[in-house]
Amino acid sequence: MNDGVIEDMGFATVDLDRERRTGFPEVVMGEGKTVEQIASIAKRIYDASGVVLVTRSVEKAADAVSELIPSAQYEPSCGAIWADDRGLDAQHRGLTLVCAGTADLPVADEAELTARLMLCEVTRVNDVGVAGIHRLLAHEDVLRTAKVVVVVAGMDGALPSVVGGLVAAPVIAVPTSNGFGTGLDGYAAMLTMLNSCAAGVSVVNIDGGFSAGYQAAMICRVGN
Amino acid sequence: MNDGVIEDMGFATVDLDRERRTGFPEVVMGEGKTVEQIASIAKRIYDASGVVLVTRSVEKAADAVSELIPSAQYEPSCGAIWADDRGLDAQHRGLTLVCAGTADLPVADEAELTARLMLCEVTRVNDVGVAGIHRLLAHEDVLRTAKVVVVVAGMDGALPSVVGGLVAAPVIAVPTSNGFGTGLDGYAAMLTMLNSCAAGVSVVNIDGGFSAGYQAAMICRVGN
Amino acid sequence: MNDGVIEDMGFATVDLDRERRTGFPEVVMGEGKTVEQIASIAKRIYDASGVVLVTRSVEKAADAVSELIPSAQYEPSCGAIWADDRGLDAQHRGLTLVCAGTADLPVADEAELTARLMLCEVTRVNDVGVAGIHRLLAHEDVLRTAKVVVVVAGMDGALPSVVGGLVAAPVIAVPTSNGFGTGLDGYAAMLTMLNSCAAGVSVVNIDGGFSAGYQAAMICRVGN
Amino acid sequence: MNDGVIEDMGFATVDLDRERRTGFPEVVMGEGKTVEQIASIAKRIYDASGVVLVTRSVEKAADAVSELIPSAQYEPSCGAIWADDRGLDAQHRGLTLVCAGTADLPVADEAELTARLMLCEVTRVNDVGVAGIHRLLAHEDVLRTAKVVVVVAGMDGALPSVVGGLVAAPVIAVPTSNGFGTGLDGYAAMLTMLNSCAAGVSVVNIDGGFSAGYQAAMICRVGN
Amino acid sequence: MNDGVIEDMGFATVDLDRERRTGFPEVVMGEGKTVEQIASIAKRIYDASGVVLVTRSVEKAADAVSELIPSAQYEPSCGAIWADDRGLDAQHRGLTLVCAGTADLPVADEAELTARLMLCEVTRVNDVGVAGIHRLLAHEDVLRTAKVVVVVAGMDGALPSVVGGLVAAPVIAVPTSNGFGTGLDGYAAMLTMLNSCAAGVSVVNIDGGFSAGYQAAMICRVGN
Amino acid sequence: MNDGVIEDMGFATVDLDRERRTGFPEVVMGEGKTVEQIASIAKRIYDASGVVLVTRSVEKAADAVSELIPSAQYEPSCGAIWADDRGLDAQHRGLTLVCAGTADLPVADEAELTARLMLCEVTRVNDVGVAGIHRLLAHEDVLRTAKVVVVVAGMDGALPSVVGGLVAAPVIAVPTSNGFGTGLDGYAAMLTMLNSCAAGVSVVNIDGGFSAGYQAAMICRVGN
Amino acid sequence: MNDGVIEDMGFATVDLDRERRTGFPEVVMGEGKTVEQIASIAKRIYDASGVVLVTRSVEKAADAVSELIPSAQYEPSCGAIWADDRGLDAQHRGLTLVCAGTADLPVADEAELTARLMLCEVTRVNDVGVAGIHRLLAHEDVLRTAKVVVVVAGMDGALPSVVGGLVAAPVIAVPTSNGFGTGLDGYAAMLTMLNSCAAGVSVVNIDGGFSAGYQAAMICRVGN
Amino acid sequence: MNDGVIEDMGFATVDLDRERRTGFPEVVMGEGKTVEQIASIAKRIYDASGVVLVTRSVEKAADAVSELIPSAQYEPSCGAIWADDRGLDAQHRGLTLVCAGTADLPVADEAELTARLMLCEVTRVNDVGVAGIHRLLAHEDVLRTAKVVVVVAGMDGALPSVVGGLVAAPVIAVPTSNGFGTGLDGYAAMLTMLNSCAAGVSVVNIDGGFSAGYQAAMICRVGN
């Protein structure tokens, strides 16, 4: 079957209509796919859209993609592969990305990359976990002018609640798997965020930098 | 201590500055508070802002609030008490609220009430669970024009993934505690939503109609 | 003890009567057995029945089986070893096998292989996850004529609910361990499926392609 | 909206097309709905189909339904309300329903009622838990001639594995919430069943008599 | 057996030596004991020590205790019964007790009562949850002079991490069961606290006001 | 069916052969059965054996049993109903039953009653939890002469490990649901016991006084 | 400290009195200890008792032990190291060891080795899982003459319930970590066993062959 | 930003004010950080304070730190890197550190190292688990004179309850991940400790030697 918008590649049915429906082409989840599958799906999307993003993949897959899409790049911290030949400037402003600890940076990087490919500018605030709350408060002005705030945190996952109480913008909280023992690979941080005592906080999957960046970019688009 | 923005009532420290910081006064969580505490906190907020919302409370608390705020109303399905004498019209448009089943209506009602108090118009689509997917698809046009979509669902919690694949707007998913057995009082639906295969979906607490309505209203404000 | 139907091999008591009781010889679970144990049990079953299936085993075991059963084959994606010298054609029709994502293919392959050895024809529909629901609806006709539908899905596990609402046939849902974080190695998808709001859906173990293929073949046999 | 197949009642969107698609009208889950909602939805389905089933409801709801549908009946053990004026005889044979303990009977009754409304004959085998295995083996002949077997069990949930090893038919296992402590309200039994060492066993939700009866009836239909 | 330090009452073996070993007589956990058991154990301890504390009991038990110990008092919020006729003044200073929300007050009250019976002065800071962080920072001076800080919080349980980053004193965190849904009756808050990114935080059982008050008093004693 | 050893009562299949196979007639689990079912099953067993035990039932069921078996008695703490007209003396010695706290007594009582009906003498040691270890050590001689020790404990469930290190006899550990918060209704105590650092400890279900008493009596029988 | 019964080796305090108290010297848990620690502790125990058992260790540790104790042997399947120069014959009879599947053999081997070192004869029944129940029933005579039965099973863990219903002897159930997905590394089997509908079943830790063998040997000793 | 107390290094915002606020400079959690990040953060802290501690890191990171801080040392058992050129003697006494088993030593070592860097003397009591309770009681005098006791235990985690009943000092319990199966990587031990029946016990994260040592040192400081 290939009716122009859905293309059946046998092992994959690429949803080429997705860009029309949702404003951005299908993003490929690399985990669980073979290198060959990743490369051929990425190529097909890239050919149709001029832009492609693969998340959570290994460097070997990036090499295979690069053979088909020479401009493809790889970010090893989060395993993202992407290519963008649309030549478009950022069109949306107001996304602030707050990261609790140094170990959470790869997840924040995935969020930033996603939002940038969706043509959002991203303002970063790094390593401002709640154990030294004055580090965060020093950024209060940047936070208050945001249209949407993504907050990435592992361990106790407490940062989104504090940020949520400071801002008038929606907060998207991203639990990370950083921590040990009762951190339960990010589950503890996720529960913290779902029970935030601050209103206006919603949550994505553990290590879900892509999901958060994607939704935040959607929200930025609302306001431009 | 009472410096004008934080008022210490002994059992409560009302954050009267919150409206300035976040655009809406503190909302009172009724659960766990005594009837007397609810009434006096509600009165204090109402006096400062002309509007107040108490969530998850019992009718007896509504009676106590009504004695202090005659215009207060009570919605028994979700236990909300509210009063609003600001005389303001809705200022934000584009919030669509999708509800999977009849049993999920109280949670959706809480979301709608919250958003309306934050001056958003709300378009409702009810009882369109995925077991009869054509019921949802019949509303595809309404969904596509939304700025933000709240999706309320219990049991399998599958609806946000389907909606997320249809729209360009951010989706806020609300798991409900409807279901039985392995539904785990909403936990199963929550996990479904956090693992949504559609991009652009974030999740709030189980039965978190208030949280979803609040964040959706924040997003609508971005775009107006 | 060896009374013709139960053979005690010391480390294993092969149930040679099983084929008479249930219509198919004992299937060997490879995981947890040594290469030597797998090979000798497989040989014993093959000698009695002319067909044997080993699931979830490593390639080294396949090599050992091949030494004893030259016609044995190995499917690396799901770790299945099998041999079939019965020379029988497919006798049962109506099994449709729906797979949500590319990463779920190995589990679907195990289901298909199992059903084929049980002499069922299998119709495949691949990569039709709910985030692009129109991909699934394009196959509505194939689904409606099925006698039984196996649906394989990871992440949110939402696909069986949608399929269950479209068909008059029983749906066997197979959660896969694809996903990350709150996917809990397939547990989230399993809970989704057990709470399906569509009637007529039952569930097998995570990554249980064999179980699903086996039961689906049993159901096909009912109708032929 | 009322296009003949989907009727929007405000609080419910009744899927009147479901009977055509799946062979049986929409079944109403009573839990979580108000008495008034149950009665009016049941009436609407009954008027279109001549048959209606409501599960997991209270007696008060049965009274309300009876006012609108005089022939409605109520089974207090499982909370089912139903009416059937189609005047149809059973058309499908071969469903055997095995119940582990006396306390599991209400769940088995729900399964039987569901299957009978779907025009299946049901053979019952009661109180044959594995702690007295000879009680089960005394029924081996009845089991071997079944087209499909539903097995209802709480506590250790071990019965489906034993039955699955005795029969050539598919087994649908229903965990019940009977038990205490580590029974985890049926969760332990459910896990047992999902890990059945017998092939051909699938599982429905805890206390899911309706789901099991529904799917078993679907399977019986395949063979008639 | 009654050797002066251990008294066997049949249903209870009162550890009268405990006061010598640990500095405070045995505290009676009321939950799970009958009214008669509570009263007679309390009387026995009171007679030996002049002070007694029963936690988590019902008012009826308080009545029974009062008949035997006329000076006994009851705090209904946390269910504590106590009597103290030692006529001793507070001897230890430096315990600050921080409470996140109004609903957490009963747990904080239990902690305060326990510490006071152990002759500690207690400074309270109420309703300073992290969603309005400036409410907490207004109390920074009080916090910095504490010898030990008890922090009581439900929902997201984020407050101890923030306090822990502000002070040089040990922080004992008490999760409360306030919240709903994914709050898991206090489990989410407990996990947050165990994963605190601030050093110097330890955690007691959910709603464990007594445990926290007891340990805090022990720490105050170290320093006096 | 009634072949003398298995009697089909419709709702129950009484296993009258059980006494011959296992040395004691079937014990009736009261929970989940109706009053009428309990009474008629108890009567049937009593008539065949002269002794009957029903566990976890309500007083109303005891009344119904008493109408059929006048000598029946009821123990409200654990909900046991029993009658014994065999006129037999205790035949087995060496069972010591250790109970950690006063709140655990009902579970210990169920164990003792079960063992006595199985003709074992029982030596009780009450309220010797590990927080006052000297209370336990005072009974070291009694413990060392036991053939089997049952240890009942809630909360931290630590007592079986200490006892296991003191004795040469097998220890059967019974977790109770006493405790709160992270006690998880006995789950925490159960995990403690399963991970006992003392060899020779095995565990039964939470609040499983019956199971422990039953197995302990079996062990005593071995040695007599 | 070295008072003859407790020897402080710095990193370990060997309990040389344990043999007198419990009838068997301290058994060394190899997991988590360094090779050097294992070897020196084993040597110390062996010198005092003439017998030593180390569980769950790696082959490298066995080599180190062999250098100090030349007669030491290693069983790679379960990682046991042991030496026994007491020259004693088996003194206790009646321990039957039933193993559900081939993959469970290593755990059963650990149980057998432990019991043999404690001077018990062990009768093995292998690969008789419930999916082919007639394999088990063929051994009914052996089971009925046992003094104690150890049952080792993974996956659904159903075998102990069936065995428990057949015998008058106590059953010690050992869940194994064999299985996948919802088997939860043995947790599902453990829950099954704790909820056994057969009386007289107790449970040890997952893969706890040592614990089961140890307790079974203790029970055998009672009867000899 | 670098205002003297907070230094923004891009990937990290070092909280140089922390030493003034809390009495010890920021401790670096090594896990999740790159070798380069660890080395440069450690250097920055060391330059400001003359002392630095990095926890849970790999040897390669220690090598990188040593290049920048030649006096740095590495403890492989717990992965700690530290340097201390302050030339200060221990100033606080009374910390007793009790370790249940040999396998728990690395966690205890992390606690001791932390406390020593905070200038506390540490008294160690090793390998005194509850299965040989007399080993612990032999140290009762040392325990009774402690100002604070840290108790490290895995498996059943029972030791803190016993210690808590012996001493008048606060007990900080550290669950370790030693054990297997239902030990759940330390979760079982943690639950035991949170449910301690001894008063005065608080708990830190699994394997949280650092947290326990840190808090214990804070408590010692209170008393000096």
Side-chain angles (χ1 to χ4, degrees), chain E residues 51-66:
Chain E
V51 61
V52 69
L53 172 60
V54 181
T55 61
R56 302 179 75 88
S57 65
V58 291
E59 187 152 21
K60 217 171 137 183
D63 296 341
V65 172
S66 291

Side-chain angles (χ1 to χ4, degrees), chain G residues 15-223:
Chain G
D15 181 359
L16 296 175
D17 182 52
R18 188 176 175 83
E19 189 168 7
R20 183 191 61 78
R21 286 200 322 276
T22 68
F24 195 74
E26 191 175 344
V27 174
V28 185
M29 158 73 155
E31 215 170 83
K33 295 198 177 69
T34 65
V35 164
E36 293 72 26
Q37 291 169 340
I38 290 173
S40 56
I41 298 173
K43 172 68 170 160
R44 189 66 196 82
I45 293 169
Y46 175 81
D47 286 349
S49 306
V51 61
V52 69
L53 172 60
V54 181
T55 61
R56 303 178 75 89
S57 65
V58 291
E59 187 153 20
K60 218 171 139 184
D63 296 342
V65 172
S66 292
E67 284 187 30
L68 302 181
I69 311 173
S71 66
Q73 302 182 62
Y74 184 62
E75 171 50 55
S77 74
C78 60
I81 308 167
W82 76 100
D84 181 7
D85 293 327
R86 297 170 300 176
L88 298 174
D89 289 327
Q91 298 171 10
H92 314 293
R93 275 156 197 84
L95 195 168
T96 296
L97 174 47
V98 182
C99 189
T102 301
D104 303 317
L105 290 174
V107 176
D109 290 347
E110 190 186 70
E112 180 177 345
L113 174 60
T114 302
R116 288 201 186 282
L117 288 176
M118 292 176 76
L119 306 178
C120 288
E121 273 191 9
V122 177
T123 306
R124 291 285 291 261
V125 180
N126 282 345
D127 198 21
V128 291
V130 299
I133 197 72
H134 298 286
R135 294 181 298 182
L136 176 71
L137 298 179
H139 296 279
E140 208 170 339
D141 284 347
V142 171
L143 291 170
R144 297 220 188 205
T145 57
K147 275 187 197 148
V148 60
V149 185
V150 172
V151 184
V152 180
M155 298 182 75
D156 55 23
L159 189 56
S161 291
V162 177
V163 172
L166 293 173
V167 301
V171 170
I172 303 172
V174 192
T176 75
S177 53
N178 291 309
F180 60 96
T182 55
L184 299 174
D185 296 319
Y187 220 81
M190 180 201 72
L191 288 175
T192 308
M193 293 169 179
L194 284 168
N195 289 285
S196 178
C197 54
V201 177
S202 66
V203 185
V204 297
N205 198 358
I206 297 165
D207 291 334
F210 160 67
S211 294
Y214 194 96
Q215 196 184 48
M218 280 177 150
I219 294 172
C220 274
R221 282 196 311 213
V222 173

Side-chain angles (χ1 to χ4, degrees), chain C:
Chain C
M1 183 181 63
N2 183 345
D3 58 4
V5 292
I6 303 176
E7 176 165 338
D8 190 343
M9 304 172 69
F11 58 87
T13 309
V14 181
D15 182 359
L16 297 175
D17 183 52
R18 189 177 174 84
E19 187 168 9
R20 183 192 61 78
R21 286 202 320 277
T22 67
F24 195 75
E26 191 175 343
V27 174
V28 184
M29 159 73 155
E31 216 170 81
K33 295 197 178 70
T34 65
V35 164
E36 293 72 25
Q37 290 170 340
I38 290 173
S40 56
I41 298 173
K43 172 67 172 161
R44 189 64 196 83
I45 292 169
Y46 176 81
D47 285 349
S49 306
V51 62
V52 69
L53 172 61
V54 181
T55 62
R56 303 179 73 90
S57 64
V58 291
E59 188 151 21
K60 216 171 139 184
D63 296 340
V65 172
S66 292
E67 283 188 31
L68 302 181
I69 311 172
S71 67
Q73 301 182 62
Y74 183 62
E75 171 51 54
S77 73
C78 59
I81 308 168
W82 77 98
D84 180 7
D85 293 327
R86 295 170 302 176
L88 298 174
D89 290 328
Q91 298 172 10
H92 314 293
R93 274 153 199 86
L95 195 167
T96 295
L97 173 48
V98 181
C99 189
T102 301
D104 303 316
L105 289 174
V107 177
D109 290 347
E110 189 186 70
E112 179 176 347
L113 174 60
T114 302
R116 289 199 185 283
L117 289 175
M118 293 176 75
L119 306 178
C120 288
E121 275 192 10
V122 177
T123 305
R124 291 284 291 263
V125 180
N126 283 344
D127 198 21
V128 291
V130 299
I133 198 71
H134 297 288
R135 294 181 298 183
L136 176 70
L137 298 178
H139 296 278
E140 208 170 340
D141 285 348
V142 171
L143 291 169
R144 298 220 186 206
T145 57
K147 275 187 197 149
V148 59
V149 184
V150 172
V151 183
V152 180
M155 299 182 74
D156 55 21
L159 189 56
S161 291
V162 177
V163 171
L166 294 174
V167 301
V171 170
I172 303 173
V174 192
T176 75
S177 53
N178 292 309
F180 61 96
T182 55
L184 299 173
D185 296 318
Y187 219 81
M190 180 201 73
L191 288 174
T192 308
M193 294 168 178
L194 284 167
N195 289 285
S196 176
C197 54
V201 176
S202 65
V203 185
V204 297
N205 198 356
I206 296 165
D207 291 334
F210 160 68
S211 294
Y214 194 97
Q215 196 185 49
M218 281 177 149
I219 294 172
C220 273
R221 283 196 312 214
V222 173
N224 281 247

